[in-house]
Amino acid sequence: MPDAITSLTATELLDAYARRTLDPVEVVEATLARIEEVEPAVNAFVTVTEARAHGDARAASAAWKAGTAGPICGVPYSLKDLVVTRGIPTGRGSLVWAMEDPPYDAPVAERLAAAGGVLLGKTTTPELGWKGDSGNRRNGPCHNPWQRGRTAGGSSGGTAAAAMARCGPLHQGSDGAGSVRIPAGFCGAVGLKPTYGLIAQYPASAVETVSHIGPITRTVADCALMLDVMAGIDERDRTSVAPPCPSYLNALKRPLERLRIAYSPDLGYAHIEEGVARHVAVAADVLRDLGHDVEEAFLGLDDPWWIEQTIWETGMAALHADRFDEVRDALDPGLVAVIEAGRQRSGVDVARAYQARVGWVDRLRQQLEGYDLLICPTLPCTAFPAGDDHPGTVAGRPVTYLGWTTLTYPFNLSGGAALTVPCGQVDGLPVGLQIVGRRFADELVLRLGAAYEASAGPFPVPVL
């Protein structure tokens, strides 16, 4: 019975609560037992808030009986360990930047709690979310649930690992260059980088203008449900916006019209492992079989990595400017290299990058005129060894700390919606299909993702 409970999605749990066939207290007991079963082998969690979870579950049980249940009342969820949470240590994967007893909740923590969720704890992230693996000097490596010794990705690696290890159905991540979509893609989860500003952030990221908060779940419906709860304006985030869709979950129920979809195997510049490319091509055929016009598009774009790299390096350098020499030895060595590179850049370099960003995003807009959505691989490879900063090479070519994420960071620059859904496996490791939309096209992206998911069939979960 506990295994059956932890296999349920958030929408299934809510249905069971409404029918009184399950109670939040028994669900949290099964979920906490599952976490104990898989940890520390996966190392998805840095903090398990057992007492808080039991208290939340009892409150949720009472709310269901009183008829006052919120939208995720009694559903277990986790927060990434970059999100400030009142009274719960926020380690940020760092020996330098940890907050042992934060005095307030970040907006996303407030919203999930107010909606009746059951907080399980905080999940593993690299130091300040700086790379595409979630190992750090504070908590150690985070393993892929499909294969121990392989990375769960980053920087929301613990988030995706927890989702696919069945340690709760709802998990919060953040994404500054792909950090929701990388781990979701590597672990076989569903992950959404929503439109920039749709989910408020506070405190702001060091790379504010490319950083997004988003959900990681096992199904598109759960992803939409979590977005419904997390989206909205918060006065602490001057860039936050109101969602244009009343309910992303309800939007999934509407029939999807025939779409014109651009299919790019490589965005015109990326190098992709053969097995990954093959599965994404099959996924494009699935969408064709659903009646959509899927056309291979030659976008003619140049790689915007140097723009993203300039934003990242200077953002991290500025964050450490006042005490770099003092804390240098306590920082992740890879992050030290990023900071040192940023310290060598000038103000003109930064301005040039932001100006180039405007031009690149406009070229992307022009190339996609006439199309409803874009599809491409989420990642160019499958999961590399846990604890490494990057895969070393992709398709035989050397890569850098985030430069290998050639298919995700472009859409941090553009700020539009980007969803990853699992579309196959290579040697037992998942492959992701990325569905990309314009700003505020989150509804359409989720609806196509749900249609693909329904047609392709449920993606398996790893046996742990």
Side-chain angles (χ1 to χ4, degrees):
M1 185 63 180
D3 282 348
I5 288 174
T6 59
S7 296
L8 295 174
T9 66
T11 54
E12 289 169 338
L13 284 176
L14 291 170
D15 181 62
Y17 295 155
R19 292 185 290 107
R20 303 296 192 265
T21 57
L22 274 179
D23 184 84
V25 173
E26 62 182 314
V27 170
V28 78
E29 288 173 352
T31 307
L32 289 170
R34 176 61 179 170
I35 293 172
E36 186 175 359
E37 181 182 0
V38 303
E39 294 287 82
V42 175
N43 198 24
F45 285 86
V46 301
T47 302
V48 178
T49 53
E50 185 172 353
R52 164 76 179 266
H54 281 297
D56 287 350
R58 289 191 296 270
S61 180
W64 278 105
K65 291 171 184 174
T68 58
I72 58 168
C73 190
V75 178
Y77 72 96
S78 74
L79 295 169
K80 185 176 179 178
D81 200 32
L82 293 181
V83 171
V84 178
T85 316
R86 184 190 300 272
I88 299 171
T90 301
R92 295 169 167 168
S94 178
L95 302 176
V96 173
W97 289 98
M99 298 175 67
E100 299 301 337
D101 188 17
Y104 63 92
D105 278 328
V108 70
E110 285 184 352
R111 287 178 178 270
L112 289 164
V118 174
L119 178 61
L120 299 170
K122 309 293 286 292
T123 54
T124 308
T125 179
E127 186 164 15
L128 301 179
W130 80 272
K131 62 178 177 176
D133 167 80
S134 289
N136 63 71
R137 296 172 74 178
R138 183 180 175 93
N139 308 111
C142 180
H143 294 271
N144 194 305
W146 288 96
Q147 188 175 323
R148 182 171 168 78
R150 292 284 171 168
T151 183
S155 62
S156 308
T159 305
M164 294 311 293
R166 294 188 287 110
C167 299
L170 300 181
H171 302 274
Q172 172 267 326
S174 58
D175 189 317
S179 290
V180 160
R181 292 158 292 157
I182 295 165
F186 275 168
C187 293
V190 175
L192 175 70
K193 180 198 75 63
T195 292
Y196 180 74
L198 200 56
I199 299 175
Q201 294 194 70
Y202 180 84
S205 167
V207 289
E208 180 199 32
T209 66
V210 295
S211 181
H212 307 57
I213 285 178
I216 297 180
T217 61
R218 294 194 300 273
T219 67
V220 176
D222 278 5
C223 196
L225 169 66
M226 201 171 182
L227 181 61
D228 279 347
V229 171
M230 295 194 295
I233 293 174
D234 188 288
E235 289 301 321
R236 291 169 289 181
D237 180 355
R238 62 181 173 76
T239 69
S240 61
V241 296
C245 178
S247 170
Y248 293 98
L249 180 61
N250 288 340
L252 300 185
K253 301 172 186 176
R254 297 202 304 272
L256 189 62
E257 61 276 17
R258 183 172 183 169
L259 301 176
R260 186 173 181 227
I261 301 169
Y263 163 46
S264 177
D266 56 9
L267 297 185
Y269 57 80
H271 301 289
I272 313 295
E273 300 279 358
E274 181 182 353
V276 171
R278 184 172 63 252
H279 280 291
V280 174
V282 171
D285 286 336
V286 170
L287 295 177
R288 290 188 181 100
D289 291 342
L290 288 173
H292 300 294
D293 296 320
V294 181
E295 306 169 14
E296 187 163 346
F298 298 93
L299 301 179
L301 298 169
D302 56 326
D303 186 351
W305 166 237
W306 75 271
I307 303 171
E308 180 85 6
Q309 182 180 26
T310 301
I311 293 170
W312 264 93
E313 290 177 351
T314 55
M316 288 296 170
L319 187 65
H320 294 83
D322 293 337
R323 56 173 182 157
F324 180 53
D325 292 336
E326 174 189 341
V327 302
R328 178 188 180 121
D329 290 344
L331 297 171
D332 186 312
L335 179 57
V336 168
V338 171
I339 294 167
E340 288 179 330
R343 286 162 64 93
Q344 300 304 310
R345 296 185 183 273
S346 68
V348 171
D349 293 334
V350 177
R352 178 171 169 263
Y354 276 99
Q355 290 166 5
R357 175 185 182 177
V358 172
W360 193 91
V361 171
D362 192 54
R363 288 193 297 277
L364 174 67
R365 177 192 62 77
Q366 292 175 30
Q367 291 295 331
L368 295 178
E369 283 183 351
Y371 293 104
D372 298 297
L373 295 170
L374 164 70
I375 61 169
C376 63
T378 303
L379 298 165
C381 60
T382 54
F384 51 86
D388 287 358
D389 290 350
H390 55 73
T393 61
V394 171
R397 294 169 174 82
V399 294
T400 61
Y401 72 99
L402 280 175
W404 66 276
T405 65
T406 46
L407 302 147
T408 55
Y409 58 72
F411 309 114
N412 293 83
L413 296 174
S414 69
L419 176 77
T420 181
V421 293
C423 67
Q425 292 177 291
V426 175
D427 298 327
L429 292 169
V431 172
L433 168 70
Q434 186 171 210
I435 302 172
V436 180
R438 298 173 177 84
R439 280 178 53 78
F440 302 109
D442 307 75
E443 176 188 338
L444 189 58
V445 163
L446 287 164
R447 289 171 67 199
L448 184 65
Y452 173 80
E453 181 183 69
S455 180
F459 196 74
V461 293
V463 178
L464 289 170

